[in-house]
Structure formats: C-alpha cells, structure tokens
C-alpha cells in the first residue's frame, strides 16, 4: 500500500496553556514522505507539537500549520485527513477488529464493497486475518497496536501521526515491532511524525530527529548528526553515553592527567571540553597510547564489555570493547581515541 505524501510546515507555532508557555515559537519543515521523530524527555512539548499538527490544539495567535500549500491552521482534526495512533491504542472495545479498522471508512461513507476490500488489504498487511472477527479484548498488546495502525491507515490519510505507539509494550515486543514499523513506513511513503522518548526508536525510524527540551528545539538532524555532531550538551547527554575529556591545551594537544589527545581539527584546540562515545576508544599499548589509566569496573554485556577507566582524565571514562576481554580492576591500560570521533562542545 502506497499513500500520497505532502510536506508539512509549521511557522511560529507556540502554545500557552492558562498563561503558561509550554511551547516556544517554533518553525519546522517536514519533507514529503519523511519520517520525522520528535525526541525528548517527558514534558518537553512533543505531544503538544503533534497535537498542533493533528488539529487537536490550535497554536497561539500568529502560528500557522500548512499541509502542502493548504493552510490548515483553522481546520479541525476531522477535516485534516490525518491518521493518528496513540500509546493507549484508543480502540473501540465493543467492536471487532474488522469493525475497528473499517470505522473511519463508515464515517466517510465509503461504499461497502470498497471498504471491505480496503479492510481486507489492511488485515493482510498487518497479519491480522485470523483475528478479523475477534473482539479487541481477545488480542495481545502487539496485535491491538497493529489494529490501531490499520484503523489509522484505512481512510488513506495525508499525514500519519504516532504518539509513543510502542511504549506500552514489553521490551522484546517493542524491538520486534520497531523493525516492522520501519518497513511499514518505508512502504507507505506517507509523511509521518513520530513522538517518542526512546532513542533507539528515534534512531531506527527517523529520517531526521528533532531533539526537544523545555518547549524548544535543541537540534534537528539525521540520526548520525544527532549522535556524532550534537549541537549542545543537552542533546549529547540525552542521546547515548558521553565521556568528557578535561585538561589544558598546549601545542594542539589537550593534556590530561593521564596523557594527551591531539585536536582533530583546528576549531577544537581551545574548546573548553572534548567528548567521545564509549565505542570510539580502543585499548592500546600504554607506551604509545594517547591516554593511560587503570581498569576500574568491568561489566560483561554479552556482545560487548563496558569498562570504566580511572586516572586518564578528571572523570572516570566509560569505554565499550567487543569480544572476550577480561581485565582485573587495577590493570594499567592505554587508550586511543579515533581523531574523527572527538566532539567539541562550547
Ligand atoms: P510526555 O512524553 O510526558 O507526554 P511531552 O514532551 O509530550 O511529554 P507535552 O505533553 O507536550 O510533553 O506537555 C508539555 C507541557 O505542557 C507539560 O508541562 C504539560 O503538563 C503541559 N500541558 C500539556 N497539555 C496541557 C493542557 N491541556 N493543559 C495544561 N497544560 C498542558
């Protein structure tokens, strides 16, 4: 199934509830067919942004929402042709799976024959054929979520809006459904806005990620941009684990308590702090490594081992190594960091 795709544009969209500003004026351009993920901690304004796009909230005066060239700011949700899925499914408990999926088509008075065909297509797409006549209460959480998605898609929406659709599911199921969701969104080609506070979901599903904090956009970028080129400390600390290298700059080297790291690019020399990800450092011969320290804790995580290293710089460092590494606490080690893995934050 392929849906039409249109761009969405928000201009100067702010939101105030009873005198409290929960969303600062924001501009956002979402490409036709793009999956844009809104990521951030609880209360940062993700759902409010999604509800502005849906037409469940109006922006404060001066804000506008466009679907393609249509100004939809004043249109209520039922006239925007959006499909929406919530964390708690919001299915009709007294209707069957088939009736739930067909609900929107009935409201739109789609002819019975066409509606049946479309519901059948969605039942098969979502692997729900054998559940078509069951009541919602007879389904598992994952199945309910697939019904909710099918119901949102049946009227062929112009825009798909998903608010934490996998959050209520247990971790194993969530991982499996995440890759199903990815395949589905690629197939549909519909412009999608996806709210989550889970970074793995954001990384896997987002063409671009918007990191929000306290009612503002901190950064918009591809998953790689957000991870490797975070725009601020808030973004860097919210996404993944980060090590801080603190020291004094001298001749293009950041000198720390346990060695020296060369600046990868001229702009880095002078940055107050450098950071790197746990997987971007390797154990090396202490004689030639950038940094020297001793093993603190080792945590075996199956496919990798997480080590803490003390004495290399002011803070203990966390690094991830693949393979069978067994090092006793106190073992001296060297550490080298790939030059292009250093992140400079002001
Ligand atoms: P969560 O993941 O917890 O849903 P969120 O990032 O989606 O968080 P929002 O739901 O957009 O955040 O809420 C942003 C802020 O706006 C919160 O402080 C919330 O309490 C407040 N808020 C949201 N809706 C209303 C409302 N109808 N009336 C008053 N305050 C509201």
């Amino acid at each position: 199934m392929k849906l039409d795709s249109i761009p969405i544009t928000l201009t100067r969209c702010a939101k105030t509830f009873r005198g409290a500003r929960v969303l600062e004026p924001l501009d956002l351009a979402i490409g036709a067919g793009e999956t844009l993920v809104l990521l951030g901690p609880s209360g940062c304004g993700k759902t409010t942004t999604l509800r502005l796009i849906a037409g469940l909230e109006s922006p404060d005066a001066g804000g506008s929402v466009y679907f393609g060239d249509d100004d939809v700011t004043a249109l209520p949700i039922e006239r925007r042709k959006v499909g929406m899925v919530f964390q708690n499914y919001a299915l009709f408990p007294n209707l069957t799976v088939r009736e739930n999926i067909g609900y929107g088509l009935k409201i739109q008075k789609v002819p019975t024959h066409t509606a049946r065909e479309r519901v059948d297509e969605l039942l098969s797409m979502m692997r729900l054929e054998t559940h078509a006549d069951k009541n919602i209460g007879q389904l598992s959480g994952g199945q309910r979520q697939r019904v909710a998605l099918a119901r949102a898609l049946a009227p062929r929406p112009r825009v798909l809006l998903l608010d934490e659709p996998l959050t209520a599911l247990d971790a194993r199921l969530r991982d499996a459904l995440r890759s199903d969701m990815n395949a589905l969104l690629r197939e549909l080609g519909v412009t999608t806005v996806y709210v989550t506070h889970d970074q793995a979901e954001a990384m896997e599903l987002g063409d671009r990620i918007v990191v929000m904090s306290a009612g503002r956009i901190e950064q918009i970028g591809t998953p790689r941009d957000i991870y490797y080129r975070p725009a601020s400390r808030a973004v860097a600390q919210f996404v993944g684990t980060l090590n801080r290298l603190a020291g004094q700059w001298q001749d293009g080297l950041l000198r720390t308590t346990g060695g020296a790291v060369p600046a990868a690019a001229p702009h880095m020399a002078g940055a107050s702090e450098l950071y790197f990800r746990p997987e971007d450092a390797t154990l090396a011969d202490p004689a030639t490594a950038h940094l020297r320290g001793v093993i603190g804790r080792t945590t075996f995580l199956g496919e990798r081992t997480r080590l803490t290293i003390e004495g290399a710089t002011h803070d203990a460092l966390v690094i991830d190594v693949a393979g069978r590494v067994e090092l006793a606490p106190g073992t001296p080690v060297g550490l080298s960091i790939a030059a292009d893995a250093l992140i400079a934050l002001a």
Side-chain angles (χ1 to χ4, degrees), residues 17-18 22-23 40-49 51 57 163-164 195-197 212:
F17 289 113
R18 280 175 256 117
V22 301
L23 209 58
S42 182
C44 69
K46 306 179 295 290
T47 297
T48 303
T49 307
R51 290 170 61 86
E57 303 285 0
D163 194 354
E164 305 254 8
V195 166
T196 184
H197 64 267
M212 298 182 69

Side-chain angles (χ1 to χ4, degrees), residues 7 27 31-33 84 104-105 110 124 142 165 178 225 244 278 297 327 333:
D27 294 313
M84 208 161 168
L105 302 175
V110 172
S124 129
R178 200 166 67 211
D225 285 338
R244 187 171 74 108
R297 212 174 38 240
L327 290 166
V333 288

Side-chain angles (χ1 to χ4, degrees), residues 305-320:
T305 300
R306 178 156 281 200
L307 309 172
T308 60
I309 292 173
E310 286 157 10
T313 174
H314 184 266
D315 306 326
L317 300 175
V318 174
I319 73 157
D320 284 344

Side-chain angles (χ1 to χ4, degrees), residues 3 6 18 45 49 51 56 62 79 91 130 145 152 155 157 170 193 214 223 238 240 274 288-289 322 325 329 336:
L3 296 177
I6 51 160
R18 280 175 256 117
T49 307
R51 290 170 61 86
L56 290 166
R79 296 189 47 207
L91 294 167
T130 55
Q145 202 45 280
D170 70 60
V193 184
F238 189 70
L274 292 182
T288 53
V325 178
S336 284

Side-chain angles (χ1 to χ4, degrees), residues 134-150:
K134 288 187 183 164
N135 282 316
I136 297 303
Q138 293 169 269
L139 302 183
S140 70
Q143 290 162 343
R144 284 178 209 206
Q145 202 45 280
R146 299 212 299 275
V147 177
L149 256 171

